[in-house]
Amino acid sequence: MPRYNPADIEPRWQAYWEQNRTFATPDKPTQRKRYVLDMFPYPSGEGLHVGHPEGYTATDIVARFARMRGESVLHPMGFDAFGLPAEEHAIKTGEHPRIQTERNISEFTRQLKMLGFSYDWDRVVSTTDPGYVRWTQWIFLVLYDTWFDPEQKRGRPISELPIPDSIDPADEAAVEAYRAEWRLAYETEAPVNWCDALGTVLANEEVIDGKSERGGHPVRRLPLRQWMLRITAYAERLLEGLEPLDWPTGIKTLQQDWIGRSAGAEVDFYIGSADGFEDWKAGRREAGFVDQPQADTLRVYTTRPDTLFGATYMVVAPEHPAVPRLTTADARDAVKAYCDAAAFKSERERTQGDREKTGVFSGSYAINPVNGAKVPVWIADYVMASYGTGAIMAVPAHDERDFQFARQFDIPVVPVVDPPADHALRQDVLDGKACFAGSGVAINSGSYDGRSTEDVKAAVTASLESEGLGKAAVNYKLRDWLFSRQRFWGEPFPILHEIDADGRQTGVKRPVPDEALPVSLPELKDFRPHGRPEPMLEKADDQWLVVELDGRRYKRETNTMPQWAGSCWYFLRYIDPLNESQLIDPEKEKAWMPVDLYVGGAEHAVLHLLYSRFWHKVLYDRGHVSCDEPFQRLINQGMILGEAELTLYQTEDGTVVAPQDVRRGEDGMTTADGTPVMAKAVQEEDVVKQGEGWVLKDDPNARVESRSFKMSKSRGNVVNPDVVVKDYGADSLRLYEMFMGPLEATKPWSMAGVGGVRNFLDRAWRMIVDQDAAEIRLVDALVDSPCNEEQARVLHKTIRSVTEDIESLSFNTAIARMMEFVNYFTRQKQRPREAMQTFVLLLSPFAPHLAEELWQILGNAKTLAYEPWPQWDEAALVESTVEIPIQVNGKVRTKLVVAADIGKDDLQKQALELPRIQSVIEGKTIAKTIVVPGRLVNIVAK
Ligand code: ANZ
């Protein structure tokens, strides 16, 4: 009997779409274009997770919908296939990471196809394909060849960088050294996580609390030569560019905070005796604020120049280049010990607010430029070398960190801002016993006393500027991007280092010529670490490592790029996936970019989006793409949590423990401190809700925690899409993921919910197909006559809601409307073909397999993928008659069907004439009649 059977229907339609290349994209749009993009997955060995199809179904609905609206749609998929797990697998098994990666990609492909997504499979890209790597490397060379011109606010070819007069243009090495200070890709020494025990460099995510994730061995920070990308040059552009984008405000704020623009002033303090101070000041007045301060100067960055009079000490970061110069002979040993210890601390550790402040006195003093006061210079690790100028003026009365430090080291606290009168601690602040970081009125500040904080900030900055002692400055939290990894499974850098006859590097660098790209990875015999902090590719033999070019010998760069690289530009490759002669054909690029809708997880809200925007802006500046921002509209899908479980955890003495406090110990469950725990899975029937929380029915004192968790292997709550498809079908999985709630909400999985949408699809099938017949045939209720007025209204309302809901990505409400439609038409003895066909088209973006099948059963020969999307008729939405309740003294006595536009008087007249009403009011007098046209009539009778 012809029951709805996804196991039969779904593979058949998938094969049809594939054979007919139903979703092949035109090279260039022929109609209005829509580029609908998913964040491509890392093809892990675990396969697809139910979190993936959430965003993928959402974009698939939009893509299918847009095609039916006659738009040209680009909806591609690919793989972000470099990554740590494949390399770890290779270290363990000796199998080349490429082999495992390819296996995983084909498994992901199978799963994606099983879900019926309408991707153009001819455009699949993988970041590991040599044809792809080639252009990733090429873009790196564009970055290497670009400098950011702060005047024109754009990237320009390095050949256009003006070389200052002080550099002899014939001195190649000097010119190159100068250029290196400007290139967007440059080398520097940066710390890596080095683990002695494992003999390898670890990625940040492999280090937990200073120990290796694998094995728990200590990890040290070691300086290593690395590549950086000068993303900071684009900070302002990245900030400005956010404004016009159609992105969630939350994501924009995250990006803004990450870039972290801060405005204040740079101020110079004189290092030396009070006698020299006046001369120094006079010199400054003449020369103005210098670009490079002299050895007798310490430059600070402050957001509060108004507090200068309250600066009672200064701090330089332990890594600050001035530390040796500032350190006096008797302080030398203590300073060295302090700086050595600081090198082991992570930045997070150093900046934690509540942590005890540490520091050491350098032995030197500075002179405060505004009042000539002599203040001690300290070295402390709460100041970062890489932010601002790496040195601060400390104002303990108005900065919490400085206040803690001053207390600890007995440094005076001088208040210079009087808090507002209603401030609770005002007196303590004035007495130097509390810190106040807000705005107020200047005190103890010479001629500035009595003026507001904002006012003094501006006035002090202006005065410093006129005396050549300071200037307004802007800083960003954003740091340059540490762009190299010491890994095997990544893109090699297309850079050559010249070597002399002894194999020593001369310092001259050279890009790999275009025709020699891509630089492929070397063949290695095994992937085990070589036990040195240098990159893995140092294991390669000379055949790969050493290159001869134009009679010179070079050693290849052995760092590899981070996984972020490939995902910075994949959306461009989809547009022109096979191009070997250009990054992208400019005409195709112009025709398809920017991406109209980009959907992906919120975990990429900051870095991926920032990095790819940065690359895109550079490509734009250099004329390789036509738009400055790649992603016009962005949506983050919410996380799908594990099935809401009710589990009770108790320690042996019966104490109830919250699930997050429980972990699996050597032989059973323990609390974090090792106390054994008994876990009892509780059936929902055993539980009642009481007051705030949940308790056991038979033991009201036993609290039960009911909550949903992130899906994870260790919790055993991971839902496998293969299993869901096998048990319910792909259409049910797609529909359920869209029905769970708003796309952006976090929501728990429920298998019962999947069963629920499966029931809906079954009912939709039975609305059209006669399930009791021996073979496929339409239900007897299906008629060729048109809809009656009410049916037409239901139909057109559904068309309108589903259309509008898809445009606004409110898929859950669209599905609810379709459910109402099925409920209504299942009750109809006559189901007009017109309504059934239209419904199938509306359902098709959500449940494409079932829809194609029904479409065919309804007698259509071709796929519905390009059928015109149904239009609603406004006229059909208007109700021509309405049913009006007629009340006597507030109680409904009967109902009256009248024309929807009936007048007040007519309505009252007809109501009073009704026999039922006549009998109720017989013998009474009518005090008044309330008529609300279209709503009700109420007769007040006594
Ligand atoms: C004096 C002062 C007085 C400050 C006051 C604050 C409050 P943003 O840019 O908002 O993060 N600072 C500057 N460079 C630093 C560094 N490298 N490491 C640690 N701290 C640094 O904050 C800038 C403020 O942070 C600066 O303003 C400086 O302290 C500190 F009542 O200068 B302020």
Side-chain angles (χ1 to χ4, degrees), residues 262 301-303 307 383-384 387 392-393 398-399 401 477:
S262 142
Y301 171 68
T302 176
T303 43
T307 62
V383 171
M384 296 301 125
Y387 187 66
I392 65 162
M393 63 175 204
H398 304 291
D399 182 287
R401 297 158 299 180
K477 293 263 146 40

Side-chain angles (χ1 to χ4, degrees), residues 36 100 129 132 135 316 322 407 410 422 438 465 488 542 605 617 631 637 695 699 715 873 882 897:
V36 185
Q100 203 217 9
D129 287 345
Y132 188 91
W135 294 107
V316 296
R407 286 233 147 160
D410 236 352
D422 59 354
E465 274 176 357
F488 172 75
D542 280 359
K617 285 181 187 298
F631 313 122
Q637 84 247 21
V695 294
D699 178 4
R715 277 196 202 278
D873 176 2
V882 279
V897 176

Side-chain angles (χ1 to χ4, degrees), residues 817-833:
R817 293 296 90 75
M818 289 190 281
M819 289 176 165
E820 285 165 16
F821 179 99
V822 170
N823 286 344
Y824 174 82
F825 272 96
T826 304
R827 281 188 269 112
Q828 297 291 302
K829 299 252 155 39
Q830 300 215 318
R831 302 173 200 162
R833 176 182 294 273

Side-chain angles (χ1 to χ4, degrees), residues 260-265 300-308 310-311 315-317 350-351 380-402 416-417 435-438 474-477 479:
R261 187 178 195 278
S262 142
V300 304
Y301 171 68
T302 176
T303 43
R304 296 292 303 268
D306 62 299
T307 62
L308 248 171
V315 181
V316 296
R350 283 170 56 167
T351 47
D381 65 8
Y382 75 96
V383 171
M384 296 301 125
S386 50
Y387 187 66
T389 62
I392 65 162
M393 63 175 204
V395 185
H398 304 291
D399 182 287
E400 194 53 54
R401 297 158 299 180
D402 299 345
V416 291
V417 179
C435 171
F436 171 67
V474 168
N475 267 293
Y476 300 91
K477 293 263 146 40
R479 304 292 169 81

Side-chain angles (χ1 to χ4, degrees), residues 380-595:
D381 65 8
Y382 75 96
V383 171
M384 296 301 125
S386 50
Y387 187 66
T389 62
I392 65 162
M393 63 175 204
V395 185
H398 304 291
D399 182 287
E400 194 53 54
R401 297 158 299 180
D402 299 345
F403 185 74
Q404 287 173 25
F405 190 89
R407 286 233 147 160
Q408 192 142 332
F409 295 100
D410 236 352
I411 297 171
V413 177
V414 176
V416 291
V417 179
D418 183 3
D422 59 354
H423 190 267
L425 295 177
R426 177 165 177 246
Q427 196 52 51
D428 285 347
V429 173
L430 295 177
D431 293 342
K433 290 191 200 125
C435 171
F436 171 67
S439 298
V441 172
I443 51 172
N444 301 327
S445 300
S447 61
Y448 298 100
D449 280 1
R451 295 167 70 177
S452 76
T453 297
E454 280 316 304
D455 196 10
V456 180
K457 266 188 200 173
V460 168
T461 307
S463 150
L464 291 169
E465 274 176 357
S466 72
E467 300 203 49
L469 297 172
K471 72 161 208 254
V474 168
N475 267 293
Y476 300 91
K477 293 263 146 40
L478 185 67
R479 304 292 169 81
D480 277 346
W481 174 9
L482 175 57
F483 192 66
S484 45
R485 302 291 183 268
Q486 295 69 46
R487 290 286 172 175
F488 172 75
W489 192 226
E491 301 88 345
F493 282 79
I495 291 284
L496 302 171
H497 300 273
E498 193 187 50
I499 46 178
D500 62 19
D502 302 323
R504 272 193 302 265
Q505 295 190 12
T506 64
V508 174
K509 276 189 284 289
R510 159 174 195 172
V512 170
D514 206 30
E515 61 279 8
L517 295 181
V519 178
S520 309
L521 286 163
E523 289 306 319
L524 295 189
K525 281 185 206 64
D526 74 71
F527 303 92
R528 276 180 309 225
H530 46 47
R532 285 169 284 131
E534 293 99 60
M536 262 294 274
L537 295 188
E538 295 283 335
K539 278 185 86 159
D541 57 23
D542 280 359
Q543 224 189 329
W544 186 86
L545 272 178
V546 180
V547 179
E548 274 202 37
L549 212 60
D550 306 330
R552 300 197 192 186
R553 290 177 72 229
Y554 298 90
K555 182 180 171 211
R556 282 192 196 280
E557 171 63 50
T558 51
N559 279 293
T560 49
M561 298 187 202
Q563 201 187 344
W564 302 108
S567 57
C568 276
W569 74 280
Y570 70 110
F571 48 90
L572 291 176
R573 187 67 176 172
Y574 288 139
I575 294 174
D576 198 5
L578 301 176
N579 203 332
E580 288 180 12
S581 60
Q582 266 174 310
L583 175 69
I584 185 169
D585 176 334
E587 291 199 353
K588 293 181 188 170
E589 187 276 332
K590 237 202 188 105
W592 284 113
M593 284 298 285
V595 172

